[in-house]
Amino acid sequence: SSTQARSASLVDARVGLINLQLEVGQAESAQRGYLITSEARYLKPFESASALATFHFGVVMNKLGDFPALSQSASSVGALLK
């Protein structure tokens, strides 16, 4: 039913948000490592985590398509990922 599909979308969006949070944490950690040490070995983990964060943000936005108010609130996060 439509209600079940909407509920599933919200669950998927929540999972996407959790994954987004984890990847942003990884990117922050790698960036901090690079800024403190200037060692290039921190750049690849930063780039990987940043790419995955962008991917998970896309998943979240896709799943929130049927929820305009939530989608609008979540869209402000996208600007922070750039």
Side-chain angles (χ1 to χ4, degrees):
S1 77
S2 176
T3 302
Q4 288 175 330
R6 288 173 56 89
S7 292
S9 287
L10 286 175
V11 169
D12 291 344
R14 183 168 186 239
V15 170
L17 285 169
I18 291 167
N19 289 328
L20 173 61
Q21 181 181 16
L22 291 171
E23 293 304 331
V24 167
Q26 291 294 321
E28 288 176 342
S29 179
Q31 182 180 45
R32 191 170 35 256
Y34 177 73
L35 292 173
I36 291 170
T37 67
S38 297
E39 293 181 19
R41 67 185 173 116
Y42 290 103
L43 293 177
K44 184 169 173 119
F46 170 77
E47 291 167 355
S48 295
S50 295
L52 283 170
T54 300
F55 169 79
H56 289 300
F57 177 72
V59 169
V60 169
M61 293 305 293
N62 183 323
K63 296 301 179 179
L64 292 179
D66 290 338
F67 305 91
L70 293 175
S71 181
Q72 185 177 8
S73 294
S75 67
S76 62
V77 173
L80 299 173
L81 295 175
K82 296 181 188 244

Coordinates of all heavy atoms in Angstrom, one line a residue:
S1 N 0.8 -1.2 0.0 CA 0.0 0.0 0.0 C 0.9 1.3 0.0 O 2.1 1.2 0.2 CB -0.9 0.0 1.2 OG -0.3 0.3 2.4
S2 N 0.2 2.4 -0.2 CA 0.9 3.6 -0.3 C 1.6 4.0 1.1 O 2.7 4.5 1.1 CB 0.0 4.7 -0.7 OG 0.6 6.0 -0.7
T3 N 0.9 3.7 2.1 CA 1.4 4.0 3.5 C 2.6 3.2 3.8 O 3.6 3.7 4.3 CB 0.3 3.8 4.5 OG1 -0.9 4.5 4.2 CG2 0.8 4.1 5.9
Q4 N 2.6 1.9 3.3 CA 3.8 1.1 3.6 C 5.0 1.5 2.7 O 6.1 1.5 3.2 CB 3.4 -0.4 3.2 CG 2.5 -1.0 4.2 CD 2.1 -2.4 3.8 OE1 2.0 -2.7 2.6 NE2 1.9 -3.3 4.8
A5 N 4.7 2.0 1.5 CA 5.8 2.5 0.7 C 6.4 3.7 1.2 O 7.6 3.9 1.2 CB 5.3 2.7 -0.7
R6 N 5.5 4.6 1.8 CA 6.0 5.9 2.4 C 6.8 5.5 3.6 O 7.9 6.1 3.9 CB 4.9 6.8 2.7 CG 4.3 7.4 1.4 CD 3.0 8.2 1.7 NE 3.1 9.3 2.7 CZ 3.5 10.5 2.4 NH1 3.8 10.9 1.2 NH2 3.6 11.4 3.4
S7 N 6.3 4.6 4.4 CA 7.1 4.2 5.6 C 8.4 3.6 5.3 O 9.4 3.9 5.9 CB 6.3 3.2 6.4 OG 5.1 3.8 7.0
A8 N 8.5 2.8 4.2 CA 9.7 2.2 3.8 C 10.7 3.3 3.3 O 11.9 3.2 3.6 CB 9.5 1.2 2.7
S9 N 10.2 4.3 2.6 CA 11.0 5.4 2.2 C 11.6 6.1 3.3 O 12.8 6.5 3.3 CB 10.2 6.4 1.3 OG 9.9 5.8 0.0
L10 N 10.8 6.3 4.4 CA 11.4 7.0 5.6 C 12.4 6.2 6.3 O 13.4 6.7 6.7 CB 10.2 7.3 6.6 CG 9.3 8.5 6.1 CD1 8.2 8.6 7.1 CD2 10.1 9.8 6.0
V11 N 12.2 4.8 6.3 CA 13.2 4.0 6.9 C 14.5 4.0 6.1 O 15.6 4.1 6.6 CB 12.7 2.5 7.1 CG1 13.8 1.5 7.4 CG2 11.6 2.4 8.1
D12 N 14.4 3.9 4.8 CA 15.6 4.0 3.9 C 16.3 5.4 4.0 O 17.5 5.4 4.0 CB 15.2 3.8 2.4 CG 14.7 2.4 2.2 OD1 15.0 1.5 3.0 OD2 14.1 2.1 1.1
A13 N 15.5 6.4 4.2 CA 16.1 7.8 4.4 C 16.8 7.8 5.7 O 17.9 8.4 5.8 CB 15.0 8.8 4.3
R14 N 16.3 7.2 6.7 CA 17.0 7.2 8.0 C 18.3 6.4 7.9 O 19.3 6.9 8.5 CB 16.1 6.6 9.1 CG 16.7 6.6 10.5 CD 15.6 6.2 11.5 NE 16.2 6.4 12.8 CZ 16.4 5.5 13.7 NH1 15.9 4.3 13.5 NH2 16.9 5.7 14.9
V15 N 18.3 5.3 7.3 CA 19.5 4.5 7.1 C 20.5 5.4 6.3 O 21.7 5.4 6.6 CB 19.2 3.2 6.4 CG1 20.5 2.5 5.9 CG2 18.4 2.3 7.3
G16 N 20.0 6.0 5.3 CA 20.9 6.9 4.5 C 21.5 8.0 5.3 O 22.7 8.4 5.2
L17 N 20.7 8.6 6.2 CA 21.2 9.6 7.1 C 22.3 9.1 8.1 O 23.3 9.8 8.4 CB 20.1 10.3 7.9 CG 19.2 11.2 7.1 CD1 18.0 11.6 8.0 CD2 20.0 12.5 6.8
I18 N 22.1 7.9 8.6 CA 23.1 7.3 9.5 C 24.4 7.1 8.7 O 25.5 7.4 9.2 CB 22.5 6.0 10.0 CG1 21.4 6.3 11.0 CG2 23.7 5.2 10.7 CD1 20.6 5.0 11.4
N19 N 24.3 6.6 7.5 CA 25.5 6.3 6.7 C 26.1 7.7 6.3 O 27.4 7.8 6.3 CB 25.1 5.6 5.4 CG 24.8 4.1 5.7 OD1 25.3 3.5 6.6 ND2 23.9 3.6 4.9
L20 N 25.3 8.7 6.0 CA 25.9 10.0 5.7 C 26.6 10.5 6.9 O 27.8 11.0 6.8 CB 24.7 11.0 5.4 CG 25.1 12.4 5.2 CD1 26.0 12.6 4.1 CD2 23.8 13.2 4.9
Q21 N 26.1 10.4 8.1 CA 26.7 10.9 9.3 C 28.1 10.1 9.5 O 29.1 10.8 9.9 CB 25.8 10.6 10.5 CG 26.4 11.1 11.8 CD 25.5 10.9 13.0 OE1 24.6 10.1 12.9 NE2 25.8 11.5 14.1
L22 N 28.1 8.9 9.3 CA 29.3 8.1 9.5 C 30.4 8.6 8.5 O 31.6 8.7 8.9 CB 29.1 6.6 9.3 CG 28.2 5.9 10.4 CD1 27.9 4.5 9.9 CD2 29.0 5.9 11.7
E23 N 30.0 8.8 7.2 CA 31.0 9.2 6.2 C 31.5 10.6 6.5 O 32.7 10.9 6.2 CB 30.4 9.0 4.8 CG 30.2 7.6 4.4 CD 31.4 6.7 4.5 OE1 32.5 7.2 4.3 OE2 31.2 5.5 4.7
V24 N 30.6 11.5 6.9 CA 31.0 12.9 7.2 C 32.1 12.8 8.4 O 33.1 13.5 8.3 CB 29.8 13.8 7.6 CG1 30.3 15.1 8.2 CG2 29.0 14.0 6.3
G25 N 31.8 12.0 9.4 CA 32.8 11.8 10.5 C 34.1 11.3 10.0 O 35.2 11.8 10.4
Q26 N 34.1 10.3 9.0 CA 35.3 9.8 8.5 C 36.1 10.9 7.7 O 37.3 11.0 7.8 CB 35.1 8.6 7.5 CG 34.6 7.4 8.3 CD 35.7 6.8 9.2 OE1 36.8 6.8 8.8 NE2 35.3 6.3 10.3
A27 N 35.3 11.7 6.9 CA 35.9 12.8 6.1 C 36.5 13.8 7.0 O 37.7 14.3 6.8 CB 34.9 13.4 5.2
E28 N 35.8 14.2 8.1 CA 36.4 15.1 9.1 C 37.6 14.6 9.7 O 38.6 15.4 9.9 CB 35.3 15.5 10.1 CG 34.2 16.3 9.7 CD 33.1 16.5 10.7 OE1 33.1 15.7 11.7 OE2 32.3 17.4 10.6
S29 N 37.7 13.4 10.1 CA 38.8 12.8 10.7 C 40.0 12.8 9.8 O 41.1 13.2 10.2 CB 38.5 11.4 11.2 OG 39.6 10.8 11.8
A30 N 39.8 12.4 8.5 CA 40.9 12.4 7.5 C 41.4 13.8 7.3 O 42.6 14.1 7.1 CB 40.4 11.7 6.3
Q31 N 40.4 14.7 7.2 CA 40.8 16.1 6.9 C 41.7 16.7 8.1 O 42.7 17.3 7.9 CB 39.6 17.0 6.7 CG 39.9 18.4 6.4 CD 38.6 19.2 6.2 OE1 37.7 19.1 6.9 NE2 38.6 20.1 5.1
R32 N 41.2 16.4 9.3 CA 42.0 16.8 10.5 C 43.4 16.2 10.4 O 44.4 16.9 10.7 CB 41.2 16.4 11.7 CG 41.7 17.0 13.0 CD 40.7 16.7 14.2 NE 40.0 15.5 14.2 CZ 38.7 15.3 13.9 NH1 38.0 16.3 13.5 NH2 38.2 14.1 13.9
G33 N 43.5 14.9 10.1 CA 44.8 14.3 10.0 C 45.7 15.0 9.0 O 46.9 15.2 9.3
Y34 N 45.1 15.4 7.9 CA 46.0 16.0 6.9 C 46.4 17.4 7.4 O 47.5 17.9 7.2 CB 45.2 16.1 5.6 CG 46.0 16.9 4.5 CD1 47.1 16.3 3.9 CD2 45.6 18.2 4.2 CE1 47.8 17.0 3.0 CE2 46.4 18.9 3.2 CZ 47.5 18.3 2.7 OH 48.2 19.0 1.7
L35 N 45.4 18.2 7.9 CA 45.7 19.5 8.4 C 46.8 19.6 9.5 O 47.6 20.5 9.6 CB 44.4 20.2 8.8 CG 43.4 20.5 7.7 CD1 42.1 21.1 8.3 CD2 44.0 21.5 6.7
I36 N 46.7 18.6 10.3 CA 47.7 18.5 11.5 C 49.1 18.1 11.0 O 50.1 18.6 11.4 CB 47.1 17.6 12.6 CG1 45.9 18.3 13.2 CG2 48.2 17.3 13.6 CD1 45.2 17.4 14.2
T37 N 49.1 17.1 10.1 CA 50.4 16.5 9.7 C 50.9 16.9 8.3 O 52.1 16.7 8.1 CB 50.3 14.9 9.7 OG1 49.4 14.5 8.7 CG2 49.8 14.4 11.1
S38 N 50.0 17.4 7.5 CA 50.4 17.7 6.1 C 50.8 16.4 5.3 O 51.5 16.5 4.3 CB 51.5 18.8 6.0 OG 51.0 20.0 6.5
E39 N 50.4 15.3 5.8 CA 50.7 14.0 5.2 C 49.7 13.6 4.1 O 48.5 13.6 4.5 CB 50.9 12.9 6.2 CG 52.1 13.1 7.1 CD 52.3 12.0 8.1 OE1 51.7 10.9 7.9 OE2 53.0 12.2 9.1
A40 N 50.1 13.4 2.9 CA 49.2 13.1 1.8 C 48.4 11.8 2.0 O 47.3 11.6 1.4 CB 49.9 13.0 0.5
R41 N 48.8 11.0 2.9 CA 48.1 9.7 3.1 C 46.7 9.9 3.7 O 45.9 9.0 3.6 CB 48.9 8.8 4.1 CG 49.0 9.3 5.5 CD 50.0 8.4 6.3 NE 50.2 8.9 7.6 CZ 49.8 8.4 8.7 NH1 49.2 7.2 8.7 NH2 50.0 8.9 9.9
Y42 N 46.4 11.1 4.2 CA 45.1 11.4 4.7 C 44.1 11.8 3.6 O 42.9 11.9 3.8 CB 45.1 12.4 5.8 CG 45.8 11.9 7.0 CD1 47.1 12.2 7.4 CD2 45.1 11.1 7.9 CE1 47.7 11.7 8.5 CE2 45.6 10.6 9.0 CZ 46.9 10.9 9.4 OH 47.5 10.4 10.5
L43 N 44.7 12.2 2.4 CA 43.8 12.7 1.3 C 42.9 11.7 0.7 O 41.7 11.9 0.5 CB 44.7 13.4 0.3 CG 45.4 14.6 0.7 CD1 46.3 15.2 -0.4 CD2 44.5 15.7 1.2
K44 N 43.4 10.5 0.5 CA 42.6 9.4 -0.1 C 41.4 9.1 0.7 O 40.3 9.0 0.3 CB 43.4 8.2 -0.5 CG 42.6 7.2 -1.2 CD 43.5 6.1 -1.8 CE 42.6 5.0 -2.4 NZ 42.7 4.8 -3.8
P45 N 41.6 8.8 2.1 CA 40.4 8.6 2.9 C 39.4 9.7 2.9 O 38.2 9.5 3.0 CB 41.0 8.3 4.3 CG 42.4 7.9 4.0 CD 42.9 8.7 2.8
F46 N 40.0 10.9 2.9 CA 39.1 12.1 2.8 C 38.2 12.1 1.6 O 37.0 12.3 1.6 CB 39.9 13.4 2.9 CG 39.1 14.6 2.7 CD1 38.2 15.1 3.6 CD2 39.1 15.3 1.5 CE1 37.4 16.2 3.4 CE2 38.3 16.4 1.2 CZ 37.5 16.9 2.2
E47 N 38.9 11.9 0.4 CA 38.2 11.9 -0.8 C 37.2 10.7 -0.9 O 36.1 10.9 -1.4 CB 39.2 11.8 -2.0 CG 40.0 13.0 -2.1 CD 41.2 12.9 -3.1 OE1 41.5 11.7 -3.5 OE2 41.9 13.9 -3.3
S48 N 37.5 9.6 -0.4 CA 36.6 8.4 -0.4 C 35.4 8.7 0.4 O 34.3 8.5 0.0 CB 37.3 7.2 0.1 OG 38.3 6.8 -0.8
A49 N 35.6 9.2 1.6 CA 34.5 9.5 2.6 C 33.7 10.6 2.0 O 32.4 10.5 2.2 CB 35.1 9.8 4.0
S50 N 34.3 11.6 1.4 CA 33.5 12.7 0.8 C 32.6 12.2 -0.3 O 31.4 12.6 -0.4 CB 34.4 13.8 0.3 OG 35.1 14.4 1.4
A51 N 33.1 11.3 -1.1 CA 32.3 10.8 -2.2 C 31.2 9.9 -1.7 O 30.0 10.0 -2.2 CB 33.2 10.0 -3.2
L52 N 31.4 9.1 -0.7 CA 30.4 8.3 -0.1 C 29.3 9.2 0.6 O 28.1 8.8 0.5 CB 31.0 7.3 0.8 CG 31.6 6.1 0.1 CD1 32.4 5.2 1.2 CD2 30.6 5.2 -0.6
A53 N 29.8 10.2 1.2 CA 28.8 11.1 1.9 C 27.9 11.7 0.8 O 26.7 11.8 1.0 CB 29.6 12.2 2.7
T54 N 28.4 12.1 -0.3 CA 27.6 12.7 -1.4 C 26.6 11.7 -1.9 O 25.5 12.0 -2.1 CB 28.5 13.2 -2.5 OG1 29.4 14.3 -1.9 CG2 27.7 13.8 -3.6
F55 N 27.1 10.4 -2.1 CA 26.2 9.4 -2.5 C 25.1 9.2 -1.5 O 23.9 9.1 -1.9 CB 27.0 8.1 -2.7 CG 26.1 6.9 -2.9 CD1 25.6 6.6 -4.1 CD2 25.9 6.0 -1.8 CE1 24.8 5.5 -4.3 CE2 25.0 4.9 -2.0 CZ 24.5 4.7 -3.3
H56 N 25.4 9.1 -0.2 CA 24.3 8.8 0.8 C 23.4 10.0 0.8 O 22.2 9.8 1.1 CB 25.0 8.5 2.1 CG 25.6 7.1 2.2 ND1 24.9 6.0 1.9 CD2 26.9 6.8 2.4 CE1 25.8 5.0 2.0 NE2 27.0 5.4 2.3
F57 N 23.9 11.2 0.6 CA 23.0 12.4 0.6 C 22.0 12.2 -0.6 O 20.8 12.5 -0.4 CB 23.8 13.6 0.5 CG 22.9 14.9 0.4 CD1 22.2 15.3 1.5 CD2 22.8 15.5 -0.8 CE1 21.4 16.4 1.3 CE2 22.0 16.6 -1.0 CZ 21.3 17.1 0.1
G58 N 22.5 11.8 -1.7 CA 21.6 11.5 -2.8 C 20.5 10.5 -2.5 O 19.4 10.7 -2.9
V59 N 20.9 9.5 -1.8 CA 19.9 8.4 -1.4 C 18.9 9.0 -0.5 O 17.7 8.8 -0.7 CB 20.6 7.2 -0.7 CG1 19.6 6.3 -0.1 CG2 21.5 6.5 -1.7
V60 N 19.3 9.8 0.4 CA 18.4 10.4 1.4 C 17.4 11.3 0.6 O 16.2 11.3 0.8 CB 19.1 11.2 2.4 CG1 18.2 12.1 3.3 CG2 19.9 10.3 3.4
M61 N 17.9 12.2 -0.3 CA 17.1 13.1 -1.0 C 16.1 12.3 -1.9 O 14.9 12.7 -2.0 CB 17.9 14.1 -1.8 CG 18.7 15.0 -1.0 SD 17.7 16.0 0.2 CE 16.7 17.0 -0.9
N62 N 16.5 11.3 -2.5 CA 15.7 10.4 -3.3 C 14.5 9.9 -2.5 O 13.4 9.9 -2.9 CB 16.5 9.3 -4.0 CG 15.7 8.5 -4.9 OD1 14.5 8.2 -4.7 ND2 16.3 8.0 -6.0
K63 N 14.9 9.3 -1.3 CA 13.8 8.7 -0.5 C 12.9 9.7 0.1 O 11.8 9.4 0.5 CB 14.5 7.9 0.6 CG 15.3 6.7 0.1 CD 14.5 5.8 -0.7 CE 15.3 4.6 -1.3 NZ 14.4 3.7 -2.0
L64 N 13.3 11.0 0.2 CA 12.4 12.0 0.8 C 11.6 12.7 -0.2 O 10.9 13.7 0.1 CB 13.3 13.0 1.6 CG 13.9 12.5 2.9 CD1 14.7 13.6 3.6 CD2 12.9 11.9 3.8
G65 N 11.7 12.2 -1.5 CA 11.0 12.9 -2.6 C 9.5 13.1 -2.3 O 8.9 14.1 -2.7
D66 N 8.9 12.2 -1.6 CA 7.4 12.3 -1.3 C 7.1 13.1 -0.1 O 6.0 13.1 0.4 CB 6.8 10.9 -1.2 CG 6.8 10.1 -2.5 OD1 6.8 10.8 -3.5 OD2 6.7 8.9 -2.4
F67 N 8.1 13.6 0.5 CA 8.0 14.4 1.8 C 8.6 15.8 1.6 O 9.7 16.0 2.0 CB 8.7 13.6 2.9 CG 8.2 12.2 3.1 CD1 8.8 11.2 2.5 CD2 7.1 12.0 3.9 CE1 8.3 9.9 2.6 CE2 6.6 10.7 4.1 CZ 7.2 9.6 3.4
P68 N 7.9 16.7 1.0 CA 8.5 18.0 0.6 C 9.1 18.8 1.8 O 10.1 19.4 1.7 CB 7.3 18.8 0.0 CG 6.3 17.7 -0.4 CD 6.5 16.6 0.5
A69 N 8.4 18.8 3.0 CA 8.9 19.5 4.1 C 10.3 18.9 4.6 O 11.2 19.7 4.8 CB 7.9 19.5 5.2
L70 N 10.3 17.6 4.6 CA 11.6 16.9 5.1 C 12.7 17.1 4.0 O 13.8 17.4 4.3 CB 11.4 15.5 5.3 CG 10.5 15.1 6.5 CD1 10.2 13.6 6.5 CD2 11.1 15.6 7.8
S71 N 12.3 17.0 2.8 CA 13.2 17.2 1.7 C 13.8 18.6 1.7 O 15.0 18.8 1.5 CB 12.5 16.9 0.3 OG 13.4 17.0 -0.7
Q72 N 13.0 19.6 1.9 CA 13.5 21.0 2.0 C 14.5 21.1 3.1 O 15.5 21.8 2.9 CB 12.3 21.9 2.1 CG 12.7 23.4 2.0 CD 11.5 24.3 2.1 OE1 10.4 23.9 2.3 NE2 11.8 25.6 1.9
S73 N 14.1 20.6 4.3 CA 15.0 20.7 5.4 C 16.4 20.0 5.1 O 17.4 20.5 5.4 CB 14.4 20.1 6.7 OG 13.3 20.8 7.1
A74 N 16.3 18.8 4.5 CA 17.5 18.0 4.3 C 18.4 18.7 3.2 O 19.6 18.5 3.2 CB 17.1 16.6 3.9
S75 N 17.7 19.4 2.3 CA 18.5 19.9 1.1 C 19.6 20.9 1.6 O 20.6 21.1 0.9 CB 17.6 20.6 0.1 OG 17.0 21.7 0.7
S76 N 19.4 21.6 2.7 CA 20.4 22.5 3.2 C 21.7 21.8 3.6 O 22.8 22.4 3.5 CB 19.9 23.2 4.5 OG 19.6 22.4 5.5
V77 N 21.6 20.5 3.8 CA 22.8 19.7 4.1 C 23.7 19.6 2.9 O 24.9 19.6 3.0 CB 22.5 18.3 4.7 CG1 23.7 17.4 4.8 CG2 21.7 18.4 6.0
G78 N 23.1 19.5 1.7 CA 23.8 19.4 0.5 C 24.8 20.5 0.3 O 25.9 20.2 -0.2
A79 N 24.5 21.7 0.6 CA 25.4 22.8 0.5 C 26.7 22.6 1.3 O 27.8 23.0 1.0 CB 24.7 24.1 0.8
L80 N 26.5 21.9 2.4 CA 27.6 21.7 3.4 C 28.6 20.6 2.9 O 29.7 20.6 3.3 CB 27.1 21.3 4.7 CG 26.2 22.3 5.4 CD1 25.7 21.7 6.7 CD2 27.0 23.6 5.7
L81 N 28.1 19.8 1.9 CA 28.9 18.7 1.4 C 29.8 19.2 0.3 O 30.7 18.4 -0.1 CB 28.0 17.6 0.9 CG 27.3 16.9 2.0 CD1 26.3 15.8 1.4 CD2 28.2 16.2 3.0
K82 N 29.7 20.4 -0.2 CA 30.5 20.9 -1.3 C 31.7 21.6 -0.9 O 31.9 22.0 0.1 CB 29.6 21.8 -2.2 CG 28.5 21.0 -2.8 CD 27.6 21.9 -3.7 CE 26.4 21.1 -4.1 NZ 25.9 20.7 -5.0

